[in-house]
Amino acid sequence: MFIHKKEPLQPVEVKSPDPAFAQKLLEQFGGATGELTASLQYFVQSFHMEDPAIKDMLQDIATEEMGHLEMVGMLIEQHTKRASANIQDAAYKSTLFSLRGKGPHFLNSEGDAWTADYINEGGNPARDLRANIAAEAGALQTYESLLAYSPDEGTTRTLRHLGTREVAHTQMFMTALQSMHKLDDAIFGDLKPDDTVNVYYNLSTSLDGSSKRGPWNSEPAFKFVQDPAQQKKKKGSIG
Amino acid sequence: MFIHKKEPLQPVEVKSPDPAFAQKLLEQFGGATGELTASLQYFVQSFHMEDPAIKDMLQDIATEEMGHLEMVGMLIEQHTKRASANIQDAAYKSTLFSLRGKGPHFLNSEGDAWTADYINEGGNPARDLRANIAAEAGALQTYESLLAYSPDEGTTRTLRHLGTREVAHTQMFMTALQSMHKLDDAIFGDLKPDDTVNVYYNLSTSLDGSSKRGPWNSEPAFKFVQDPAQQKKKKGSIG
Amino acid sequence: MFIHKKEPLQPVEVKSPDPAFAQKLLEQFGGATGELTASLQYFVQSFHMEDPAIKDMLQDIATEEMGHLEMVGMLIEQHTKRASANIQDAAYKSTLFSLRGKGPHFLNSEGDAWTADYINEGGNPARDLRANIAAEAGALQTYESLLAYSPDEGTTRTLRHLGTREVAHTQMFMTALQSMHKLDDAIFGDLKPDDTVNVYYNLSTSLDGSSKRGPWNSEPAFKFVQDPAQQKKKKGSIG
Amino acid sequence: MFIHKKEPLQPVEVKSPDPAFAQKLLEQFGGATGELTASLQYFVQSFHMEDPAIKDMLQDIATEEMGHLEMVGMLIEQHTKRASANIQDAAYKSTLFSLRGKGPHFLNSEGDAWTADYINEGGNPARDLRANIAAEAGALQTYESLLAYSPDEGTTRTLRHLGTREVAHTQMFMTALQSMHKLDDAIFGDLKPDDTVNVYYNLSTSLDGSSKRGPWNSEPAFKFVQDPAQQKKKKGSIG
Amino acid sequence: MFIHKKEPLQPVEVKSPDPAFAQKLLEQFGGATGELTASLQYFVQSFHMEDPAIKDMLQDIATEEMGHLEMVGMLIEQHTKRASANIQDAAYKSTLFSLRGKGPHFLNSEGDAWTADYINEGGNPARDLRANIAAEAGALQTYESLLAYSPDEGTTRTLRHLGTREVAHTQMFMTALQSMHKLDDAIFGDLKPDDTVNVYYNLSTSLDGSSKRGPWNSEPAFKFVQDPAQQKKKKGSIG
Amino acid sequence: MFIHKKEPLQPVEVKSPDPAFAQKLLEQFGGATGELTASLQYFVQSFHMEDPAIKDMLQDIATEEMGHLEMVGMLIEQHTKRASANIQDAAYKSTLFSLRGKGPHFLNSEGDAWTADYINEGGNPARDLRANIAAEAGALQTYESLLAYSPDEGTTRTLRHLGTREVAHTQMFMTALQSMHKLDDAIFGDLKPDDTVNVYYNLSTSLDGSSKRGPWNSEPAFKFVQDPAQQKKKKGSIG
């Protein structure tokens, strides 16, 4: 069960209300990289996860993200409700708040309704933790973009805290994944790979025939192959 | 520019056509974890990526995934078109092929149209590579689920190959991320974290007050805190 | 901020696991009339609401609905995970759990991802409370439909409790709306109605020219008019 | 069957064409609270409704709303097509009409395509009428928001009429619901409520422990309970 | 304005109610190729169309399609409501009517909500009429698929009529397009084509190098070119 | 299988970068009328098409459209990345690139994610080719709209080429459709039309009773009928 306390996880105090910035903030309330996505993704994963300690971590972080959702909502509320009449009048004409009302909505900064299509989960612990590291990376990038436009110190402090916590969560998920030895080992589950598992296919070719190389397509880890049909013929059947 | 060759990356040969299984296969043609998602995600990221070698890797793999999309499409085509009249008649009544026509469609196994909301990208190389590792993990898990229901050896061989390549791509993305030192280091970009970056909040509590612990919420890496408000008071302002 | 306690609001105990029924239960986890819709609708409204007492009510009920979401998730978890191998095997072939994994997902019973398009809110207290009464009515109707297919007593007890609470919430919203005198008075806000406010237009006509009547299209409350163009001509300009 | 007459229900005459305002008007053409939602919701409900007199009311109002959809479309047409070249040039650059063409589209003011996810219906007469009262409330609020930005008297007169009719429809639906004694009585259908039907759970708590009260969480109608687990223990099993 | 008459355009009489078939019928009520798509597409185009005679045609057909929507709704209503208790019980378990209620809904046969993304329109008369011919072709194909599963003669007669009218509308749209000389002439609007307008690029190549030919990639109408880069070099700059 | 060559089909060179125009360009990258829609529509149709020569044409054009998608992506990349700091700063504040990152995304100009609901296909060759002619018409109209706002000659040259190719593809599809005698003959498939196939219903009526006429509702091709019920009575049963 959940309990709500009428105090945010960290104080939220906007000094220079800016409804246009509030519309950008919607990206983290009702957008793909926002707090709702994170909270619901970890919450739903917690039902699938068998390991009780990782399940507990998912529930801890899901609950914290609900609190973050509330903090973003408070930012939006203050940036829309506290603006002076002049600012409001100008800003509302060009923002979705003119028709949808002041305060937060489950929309992104482009006015699109949140959808569970943003969520990535499926029960395998390695898959779910990788999905979470990706989700946190998206959230962090959006907070960095928002910080570049932040109109006042209070907003900056809150956004900086929220970004910090994404870093913290990422490190927790990485640590948990490492504890399963799945941070740097690709495979999981029952799949028996065929003999192409170390092959790098060079299907996009430069005009001069050269190819950029890095550790991801170099010996000894990877065998560089121009043409899968060609390799297949040499090898005979895969398997 | 793209060139198409009228031969799949690997042979696709179905022996026991099963339209009901074909509907499940749609998950990897027009579903969230499918080949279209992977191909378009890496393709669109290649425009953002400044490092030419990683850009080249994204284009190589995006192009390979288009070929995988074609292979999944061929599986679906054969599982629907080659079925005997009896099997078709029975199966079509209970599958979406009865109204949408035989062969592949950009729908998932539940009949939902593919949407770019499945794509995770945004330009930062670390974020994009993490998103790709997550995408591959989802694809791998779905291939494993499909393999458990595979009706014939030809289908199994193709699915096993496609799963193998997801493993290979994951290893490539992990290697590339490691080359940036971002496989096990959470932070990227300009964020200056506040002093909560190593704190673990215990917001979901067991009835007996105990808490499951693991390396992700233990000293020295993480400081375990029950109550964010309490910690904040001790510390004074965050910063 | 939110706190999670590892105990459901009411006990959830499934005796006869049925994955096919679990798919129906998704309607109340990730469907239009489900607990996520209710919880998020009331939560987001609480930011807009100026009256502190009604705001508090919205927060109380939003938090309870999160707990209900957890209970529905537990039902789905038990109906999928606890089924015997035989039942699982049969059921998984025909349910979305075969590919998406066991346990709950933010999908409805037809496999469609939850969307915030289901939410109805906009800041005006009368509008929001009316939206909530409608949301609860949808939830109640779905619980009644589910109860008709409930496979065991434990499931029935949980569904009956969840339905009961929708009735309780409805009565609370009705009482709050009545306290504003908006339960039976249509108008709110600044609109100055024109002179058609009591007119009933008979735009759908029976073949014999007769029209069904009730208090909603009868004198003295409503003036019955066949043809708006005709009425307009008699009246002259509206206003 | 439907018949169309080439005259709107009320005259529509725009004097000061404003394409930017036309984009806002899309909210009532192809948006959640718009005329299409209302018309289709009542139309589809009319198939489910057994009471012939209420069925007739739904058909009358659904047909009127189609005419309202036409009137909103005419407003948008005139606000885009009749603007002078200068105004058009400036406005089109910042509106969706530059790419989608002049006149109405089934999009909301943020450019999102209309979806039947906005519709709330399910066959039970009380549920459907409550859904309709909520739909009308949303429409009314949006018309009020639009009126605040209306650029000319003709537009204002039309919007005022459309808002007036939402009030009229609301009163009709309230009257019909009252005729079933379901305007102020929450329960309908077969549900046998358990003993929590009059309980108010105080799950969101103020820091000082106090709680805002109103008739919706006060004796005698409601029993105020802090903790559902606690209440359950006292009562024994629910039921 | 619209008027509704309580008689369908053609009689609708189901003899062998089949709720499973009713779910398939939803494809033409709330699906991509259904009557709602057609009706709303032509209706919204009528606002853009300047030619009064073509505008009138669009309004005539849009209005007829609303009547067809009603007829499909009546089919679904009868196939769900009139079924015997036994048939209903069996069928409802496996159809969406068990949770969504009997009768039509704005969903397709896979349970997805109708969306205006299905609509194709934009103001240019040639573009809109081509979109309509395509829409009718989709509708016709779905009716043909449904006819193959039709469970009784009454259903067959209605579906045959609806399919017939799609043919009739197609012929009307073709005739109108021909009257603009745009049925067989591709170009419209202000575009000044460059010198690739008659070139056919052979970008998908057979393994033996051969290419299938038809009038669409043959002299004199089309110039067959293997490689766009190669052609460009010969020609110099395009223009 | 697909091969990518690191050279666009035609050179893409932007001189006056304009991020606001880049947002409009998204319409052809991730919008309904864009290159992704075209490419995927023809690609998926190629699996259904039995005629090998038409199948080959679909593969040729699908592959070309992928190259066009790349060209539009390059336009967007250059219009966002190459802008001077001042222009970027101003433009990013009002465009979605501020939060989503520079370069292309699978969104339309209003920020909506691409969806396969835009695709029209179903296996019947006549239906699919008609759908393709409609798709090309939409693409052409959008390119014409974009050309009206094109900020430099390089952009104009690229857009003009892309528009030209839509004309070329249209002519190819028309020629193929004509080769099946389905360009001007509405019917296809197994439908046996009833006796209303040449009837024109006049369901939208002018106030003065007159009706606009054209070849599409005139003798001898079409029989003009006011009222379907009336005609039905004269004829007796249809069939």
Side-chain angles (χ1 to χ4, degrees):
Chain A
M1 88 182 62
F2 291 89
I3 305 292
H4 179 252
K5 295 189 181 177
K6 286 184 166 58
E7 183 190 13
L9 286 165
Q10 297 286 341
V12 174
E13 195 58 53
V14 170
K15 288 285 169 36
S16 306
D18 177 353
F21 186 70
Q23 181 155 339
K24 287 194 189 299
L25 284 167
L26 285 173
E27 197 75 12
Q28 295 302 81
F29 192 82
T33 62
E35 300 292 350
L36 183 63
T37 304
S39 180
L40 293 182
Q41 180 165 306
Y42 311 153
F43 174 69
V44 81
Q45 288 176 356
S46 76
F47 289 95
H48 312 321
M49 198 64 70
E50 301 296 334
D51 181 314
I54 295 185
K55 185 183 193 113
D56 179 51
M57 176 182 70
L58 291 170
Q59 291 171 331
D60 283 329
I61 304 181
T63 308
E64 185 181 353
E65 304 287 28
M66 282 185 204
H68 291 171
L69 183 69
E70 184 181 39
M71 288 172 69
V72 177
M74 290 173 70
L75 280 178
I76 296 168
E77 184 187 15
Q78 294 182 23
H79 273 292
T80 50
K81 286 191 184 173
R82 293 187 181 176
S84 67
N86 282 354
I87 288 177
Q88 283 199 17
D89 199 55
Y92 287 172
K93 276 191 188 155
S94 64
T95 64
L96 56 81
F97 303 106
S98 61
L99 295 183
R100 308 290 174 88
K102 299 174 188 178
H105 306 279
F106 286 110
L107 306 172
N108 69 11
S109 62
E110 297 291 316
D112 301 316
W114 190 87
T115 162
D117 286 326
Y118 299 147
I119 287 182
N120 188 353
E121 55 84 26
N124 181 287
R127 182 253 178 113
D128 280 2
L129 290 172
R130 287 175 189 172
N132 297 357
I133 291 169
E136 296 287 347
L140 176 55
Q141 183 165 326
T142 303
Y143 279 123
E144 292 190 344
S145 297
L146 286 167
L147 278 162
Y149 297 97
S150 173
D152 67 33
E153 200 186 309
T155 302
T156 297
R157 191 171 50 239
T158 297
L159 294 175
R160 193 180 153 213
H161 175 67
L162 295 171
T164 295
R165 294 305 297 160
E166 309 303 18
V167 173
H169 298 160
T170 306
Q171 209 64 52
M172 290 162 197
F173 292 134
M174 284 176 168
T175 305
L177 197 53
Q178 185 56 50
S179 76
M180 301 173 191
H181 310 292
K182 289 299 171 202
L183 184 63
D184 55 5
D185 182 14
I187 204 166
F188 59 79
D190 299 325
L191 185 81
K192 287 178 190 58
D194 68 24
D195 61 3
T196 64
V197 73
N198 294 320
V199 172
Y200 187 98
Y201 294 120
N202 186 31
L203 291 166
S204 172
T205 56
S206 294
L207 294 182
D208 63 1
S210 71
S211 178
K212 302 287 180 184
R213 304 292 280 268
W216 52 84
N217 60 3
S218 297
E219 307 281 350
F222 297 99
K223 186 177 159 192
F224 191 85
V225 171
Q226 184 60 37
D227 184 338
Q230 178 184 353
Q231 182 231 12
K232 186 181 53 181
K233 283 168 199 163
K234 284 187 199 164
K235 280 279 186 179
S237 66
I238 56 177
Chain B
M1 88 180 64
F2 291 88
I3 305 292
H4 179 252
K5 294 189 182 178
K6 286 185 167 57
E7 184 191 13
L9 285 166
Q10 297 286 339
V12 175
E13 194 60 50
V14 170
K15 286 286 167 34
S16 306
D18 177 353
F21 187 70
Q23 182 155 339
K24 287 194 189 299
L25 283 167
L26 284 172
E27 197 75 12
Q28 294 302 82
F29 192 83
T33 62
E35 301 291 350
L36 184 64
T37 305
S39 180
L40 293 181
Q41 180 164 307
Y42 311 152
F43 174 69
V44 81
Q45 288 176 355
S46 76
F47 288 95
H48 312 323
M49 198 64 69
E50 299 296 334
D51 182 313
I54 295 184
K55 186 184 193 113
D56 178 50
M57 177 183 68
L58 290 169
Q59 291 171 331
D60 283 329
I61 303 181
T63 308
E64 186 182 351
E65 303 287 29
M66 280 184 205
H68 290 172
L69 183 69
E70 186 181 39
M71 288 172 69
V72 178
M74 289 172 72
L75 280 179
I76 296 168
E77 184 188 15
Q78 295 181 23
H79 273 292
T80 50
K81 286 191 186 175
R82 292 187 184 177
S84 67
N86 282 356
I87 289 177
Q88 284 200 17
D89 199 54
Y92 286 172
K93 277 192 188 154
S94 65
T95 65
L96 57 81
F97 303 106
S98 61
L99 294 184
R100 307 292 173 87
K102 300 175 188 178
H105 306 279
F106 285 110
L107 306 172
N108 68 12
S109 62
E110 297 291 314
D112 301 317
W114 190 88
T115 161
D117 286 326
Y118 299 146
I119 287 182
N120 188 352
E121 55 83 26
N124 180 287
R127 182 253 179 112
D128 280 0
L129 289 171
R130 287 175 189 172
N132 298 356
I133 291 169
E136 296 288 347
L140 176 55
Q141 182 165 326
T142 304
Y143 279 125
E144 291 189 344
S145 298
L146 286 167
L147 277 163
Y149 298 96
S150 173
D152 67 32
E153 199 186 309
T155 302
T156 297
R157 191 170 50 239
T158 297
L159 294 176
R160 193 179 154 214
H161 176 67
L162 295 170
T164 296
R165 295 306 296 161
E166 309 304 17
V167 174
H169 298 159
T170 306
Q171 209 64 51
M172 291 163 196
F173 291 134
M174 285 177 167
T175 306
L177 198 53
Q178 185 57 49
S179 76
M180 300 173 190
H181 310 292
K182 289 298 171 202
L183 184 62
D184 54 8
D185 181 15
I187 203 167
F188 58 80
D190 300 325
L191 186 81
K192 287 179 190 59
D194 67 25
D195 63 3
T196 64
V197 74
N198 294 320
V199 172
Y200 187 98
Y201 294 120
N202 186 31
L203 291 166
S204 172
T205 56
S206 294
L207 295 181
D208 62 1
S210 71
S211 178
K212 302 288 180 182
R213 303 292 280 271
W216 52 84
N217 60 2
S218 299
E219 307 281 349
F222 297 100
K223 186 178 162 190
F224 192 84
V225 171
Q226 184 62 36
D227 185 338
Q230 177 185 354
Q231 183 230 12
K232 187 182 53 184
K233 284 167 198 164
K234 286 188 198 162
K235 281 281 187 180
S237 66
I238 57 177
Chain C
M1 88 181 63
F2 291 89
I3 305 292
H4 179 251
K5 294 189 181 178
K6 286 185 167 57
E7 184 190 13
L9 285 165
Q10 296 287 340
V12 175
E13 194 59 51
V14 170
K15 286 284 167 36
S16 305
D18 177 354
F21 186 71
Q23 182 154 339
K24 286 195 190 298
L25 284 167
L26 285 172
E27 198 74 11
Q28 294 303 80
F29 192 84
T33 60
E35 301 291 350
L36 183 63
T37 304
S39 179
L40 294 181
Q41 181 164 307
Y42 311 152
F43 174 69
V44 81
Q45 288 176 355
S46 76
F47 289 94
H48 312 322
M49 198 65 68
E50 300 296 334
D51 181 314
I54 294 185
K55 185 184 193 114
D56 178 50
M57 176 183 68
L58 290 170
Q59 291 171 331
D60 283 329
I61 303 182
T63 308
E64 185 182 353
E65 303 287 28
M66 281 185 205
H68 290 172
L69 183 68
E70 185 181 39
M71 288 172 69
V72 178
M74 289 173 72
L75 280 179
I76 295 168
E77 185 187 15
Q78 294 182 24
H79 273 293
T80 50
K81 286 190 183 174
R82 293 187 182 176
S84 67
N86 281 357
I87 288 177
Q88 284 200 15
D89 199 55
Y92 286 171
K93 276 190 187 155
S94 64
T95 65
L96 57 81
F97 303 107
S98 61
L99 296 183
R100 307 292 173 87
K102 300 174 188 178
H105 306 279
F106 285 110
L107 306 172
N108 69 11
S109 62
E110 296 291 314
D112 300 317
W114 190 88
T115 162
D117 286 325
Y118 300 147
I119 286 180
N120 188 352
E121 55 85 24
N124 181 287
R127 181 255 178 111
D128 281 1
L129 289 172
R130 288 174 188 173
N132 298 356
I133 291 169
E136 296 288 346
L140 176 55
Q141 181 165 327
T142 303
Y143 279 124
E144 291 189 345
S145 298
L146 286 167
L147 277 162
Y149 297 98
S150 173
D152 67 33
E153 198 185 311
T155 302
T156 296
R157 191 171 49 239
T158 298
L159 294 175
R160 193 179 153 213
H161 176 68
L162 295 170
T164 295
R165 295 304 298 160
E166 310 303 17
V167 174
H169 299 159
T170 305
Q171 209 63 52
M172 291 164 196
F173 293 134
M174 284 175 167
T175 306
L177 197 53
Q178 185 56 48
S179 76
M180 301 173 189
H181 310 293
K182 289 299 171 203
L183 184 62
D184 55 7
D185 181 15
I187 203 166
F188 58 81
D190 299 326
L191 186 81
K192 288 178 190 58
D194 67 25
D195 62 4
T196 64
V197 73
N198 293 320
V199 171
Y200 187 98
Y201 294 120
N202 186 31
L203 290 166
S204 172
T205 55
S206 294
L207 295 182
D208 63 0
S210 71
S211 179
K212 302 285 181 185
R213 303 293 278 270
W216 52 84
N217 59 3
S218 298
E219 307 281 349
F222 298 99
K223 186 177 161 192
F224 192 83
V225 171
Q226 183 62 34
D227 185 338
Q230 177 184 354
Q231 181 230 15
K232 188 181 52 184
K233 283 168 199 162
K234 287 187 199 163
K235 283 278 187 180
S237 66
I238 57 177
Chain D
M1 87 180 65
F2 291 89
I3 304 292
H4 179 251
K5 295 189 182 178
K6 286 184 167 58
E7 184 190 13
L9 285 165
Q10 297 286 341
V12 175
E13 194 59 52
V14 171
K15 286 285 168 36
S16 306
D18 177 353
F21 187 71
Q23 181 154 341
K24 287 195 190 298
L25 284 168
L26 284 172
E27 198 73 12
Q28 294 303 80
F29 192 83
T33 61
E35 300 291 350
L36 183 64
T37 303
S39 179
L40 294 181
Q41 180 164 308
Y42 312 152
F43 174 68
V44 81
Q45 288 176 356
S46 76
F47 289 94
H48 312 322
M49 198 65 70
E50 300 297 334
D51 181 313
I54 295 185
K55 185 184 192 112
D56 178 51
M57 176 183 70
L58 290 170
Q59 290 171 332
D60 282 329
I61 304 181
T63 308
E64 185 181 352
E65 304 287 28
M66 281 184 205
H68 291 172
L69 183 68
E70 184 180 40
M71 288 172 69
V72 178
M74 288 172 72
L75 280 178
I76 296 168
E77 184 187 17
Q78 294 182 24
H79 273 293
T80 50
K81 286 191 184 173
R82 293 189 182 176
S84 68
N86 281 356
I87 288 176
Q88 284 201 13
D89 199 54
Y92 287 172
K93 276 190 186 157
S94 65
T95 65
L96 57 81
F97 303 106
S98 60
L99 295 184
R100 308 291 174 87
K102 300 175 187 177
H105 307 278
F106 286 110
L107 306 172
N108 69 12
S109 62
E110 296 291 315
D112 300 317
W114 190 88
T115 162
D117 286 326
Y118 299 147
I119 286 181
N120 188 353
E121 54 84 26
N124 180 288
R127 182 254 178 109
D128 281 1
L129 290 172
R130 288 175 189 172
N132 297 356
I133 291 169
E136 296 288 347
L140 175 56
Q141 182 165 327
T142 304
Y143 279 123
E144 291 190 344
S145 298
L146 286 167
L147 277 163
Y149 297 98
S150 173
D152 68 33
E153 200 186 309
T155 302
T156 297
R157 190 171 49 240
T158 298
L159 293 176
R160 194 180 153 214
H161 176 67
L162 295 170
T164 295
R165 294 304 297 160
E166 310 302 18
V167 173
H169 298 159
T170 305
Q171 209 63 52
M172 290 163 197
F173 292 134
M174 285 175 167
T175 305
L177 197 54
Q178 185 57 49
S179 76
M180 301 174 192
H181 310 292
K182 290 298 171 202
L183 184 63
D184 55 6
D185 181 15
I187 203 165
F188 59 80
D190 299 325
L191 185 80
K192 288 178 188 58
D194 68 25
D195 62 3
T196 65
V197 72
N198 293 321
V199 171
Y200 187 99
Y201 293 120
N202 186 32
L203 291 166
S204 172
T205 56
S206 294
L207 295 181
D208 62 1
S210 70
S211 179
K212 302 287 182 185
R213 303 292 278 269
W216 52 85
N217 58 4
S218 299
E219 307 280 351
F222 297 100
K223 185 177 161 192
F224 192 84
V225 171
Q226 183 62 34
D227 186 338
Q230 179 184 352
Q231 181 231 13
K232 186 182 51 182
K233 283 167 198 163
K234 286 187 200 164
K235 281 280 185 181
S237 65
I238 56 177
Chain E
M1 87 181 64
F2 291 89
I3 305 291
H4 178 252
K5 295 189 182 178
K6 286 185 168 56
E7 183 191 14
L9 286 166
Q10 297 286 340
V12 174
E13 194 60 49
V14 170
K15 287 284 169 35
S16 307
D18 177 354
F21 187 70
Q23 181 154 340
K24 287 194 191 297
L25 284 167
L26 285 172
E27 198 74 12
Q28 294 303 80
F29 193 83
T33 60
E35 301 291 351
L36 183 64
T37 304
S39 179
L40 294 181
Q41 181 164 307
Y42 311 153
F43 174 68
V44 80
Q45 288 176 356
S46 76
F47 289 95
H48 312 322
M49 198 65 68
E50 300 296 335
D51 181 314
I54 294 185
K55 186 184 194 113
D56 178 51
M57 176 183 68
L58 290 170
Q59 291 171 331
D60 283 328
I61 303 182
T63 308
E64 186 182 352
E65 304 286 29
M66 280 185 206
H68 290 172
L69 183 68
E70 185 180 41
M71 289 172 69
V72 178
M74 289 172 71
L75 280 178
I76 296 167
E77 184 187 17
Q78 295 182 22
H79 273 292
T80 50
K81 286 190 184 175
R82 293 188 182 177
S84 67
N86 282 356
I87 289 177
Q88 283 200 16
D89 198 56
Y92 286 172
K93 277 190 187 154
S94 65
T95 65
L96 56 81
F97 302 106
S98 61
L99 295 184
R100 308 292 173 85
K102 300 174 189 178
H105 306 279
F106 285 110
L107 306 172
N108 69 12
S109 62
E110 297 291 315
D112 301 316
W114 190 88
T115 162
D117 286 326
Y118 300 147
I119 287 181
N120 188 352
E121 55 84 25
N124 181 287
R127 181 253 178 111
D128 280 1
L129 289 172
R130 287 174 189 174
N132 298 356
I133 291 169
E136 296 287 346
L140 176 55
Q141 182 165 326
T142 304
Y143 279 123
E144 291 189 346
S145 298
L146 286 168
L147 277 162
Y149 297 97
S150 173
D152 67 31
E153 199 186 309
T155 303
T156 296
R157 191 171 50 240
T158 298
L159 294 175
R160 194 180 153 213
H161 176 67
L162 295 170
T164 295
R165 294 305 297 161
E166 309 304 16
V167 173
H169 298 160
T170 306
Q171 209 64 52
M172 291 163 196
F173 292 135
M174 285 176 168
T175 305
L177 197 54
Q178 185 56 48
S179 76
M180 300 172 190
H181 310 292
K182 289 298 171 202
L183 183 64
D184 55 7
D185 182 14
I187 204 165
F188 58 81
D190 299 325
L191 185 81
K192 288 179 188 59
D194 67 24
D195 61 4
T196 64
V197 73
N198 293 320
V199 171
Y200 187 99
Y201 294 120
N202 185 32
L203 290 166
S204 172
T205 55
S206 294
L207 295 182
D208 62 2
S210 70
S211 178
K212 302 287 180 184
R213 302 293 278 272
W216 52 84
N217 60 3
S218 299
E219 307 280 351
F222 297 100
K223 185 177 161 192
F224 192 85
V225 170
Q226 183 61 35
D227 185 339
Q230 178 185 353
Q231 182 231 14
K232 186 182 53 186
K233 284 166 197 164
K234 285 188 199 162
K235 282 280 188 179
S237 66
I238 56 178
Chain F
M1 88 180 64
F2 290 89
I3 304 292
H4 179 251
K5 294 189 182 178
K6 287 185 166 59
E7 185 190 12
L9 285 165
Q10 296 286 340
V12 175
E13 194 59 52
V14 170
K15 286 286 168 36
S16 307
D18 177 353
F21 187 70
Q23 181 154 341
K24 286 193 190 298
L25 283 167
L26 284 172
E27 197 74 12
Q28 294 303 80
F29 192 82
T33 60
E35 300 291 352
L36 183 64
T37 304
S39 180
L40 293 181
Q41 180 164 307
Y42 311 153
F43 174 68
V44 80
Q45 288 177 354
S46 77
F47 288 94
H48 312 322
M49 198 64 71
E50 300 297 334
D51 181 314
I54 295 184
K55 185 184 194 113
D56 178 51
M57 177 183 70
L58 290 170
Q59 291 171 331
D60 282 329
I61 303 180
T63 308
E64 186 181 352
E65 303 287 28
M66 282 185 204
H68 290 171
L69 183 68
E70 185 180 40
M71 289 172 68
V72 177
M74 289 173 71
L75 280 178
I76 295 168
E77 184 187 17
Q78 294 181 23
H79 273 293
T80 51
K81 287 190 183 174
R82 292 187 183 176
S84 67
N86 282 355
I87 289 177
Q88 283 200 15
D89 199 56
Y92 286 172
K93 276 190 188 156
S94 64
T95 65
L96 56 82
F97 302 106
S98 61
L99 294 184
R100 307 291 173 88
K102 300 175 188 178
H105 306 279
F106 285 110
L107 306 172
N108 69 12
S109 62
E110 296 291 314
D112 300 317
W114 189 88
T115 162
D117 285 326
Y118 299 147
I119 286 181
N120 188 351
E121 55 84 25
N124 181 287
R127 182 255 178 110
D128 280 1
L129 289 171
R130 287 175 190 172
N132 298 356
I133 291 169
E136 296 288 346
L140 176 55
Q141 182 165 328
T142 304
Y143 278 124
E144 291 189 345
S145 298
L146 286 167
L147 277 163
Y149 297 97
S150 173
D152 67 33
E153 199 186 310
T155 302
T156 298
R157 191 171 49 237
T158 297
L159 294 176
R160 193 179 153 214
H161 175 68
L162 294 170
T164 295
R165 295 306 297 161
E166 309 303 18
V167 174
H169 298 159
T170 306
Q171 210 64 53
M172 290 163 197
F173 291 134
M174 285 175 167
T175 305
L177 197 53
Q178 185 56 51
S179 76
M180 301 173 191
H181 310 292
K182 290 297 171 202
L183 184 62
D184 56 6
D185 181 14
I187 203 166
F188 58 80
D190 298 326
L191 185 81
K192 287 178 191 58
D194 68 23
D195 62 3
T196 65
V197 73
N198 294 320
V199 172
Y200 187 99
Y201 293 121
N202 187 30
L203 291 166
S204 172
T205 55
S206 294
L207 295 181
D208 62 0
S210 70
S211 178
K212 301 287 181 183
R213 303 293 278 269
W216 53 83
N217 59 3
S218 299
E219 307 280 351
F222 297 98
K223 186 177 160 192
F224 191 85
V225 170
Q226 185 61 34
D227 186 337
Q230 178 184 353
Q231 181 230 13
K232 188 181 49 182
K233 283 168 199 164
K234 285 188 202 163
K235 281 281 188 180
S237 66
I238 55 176

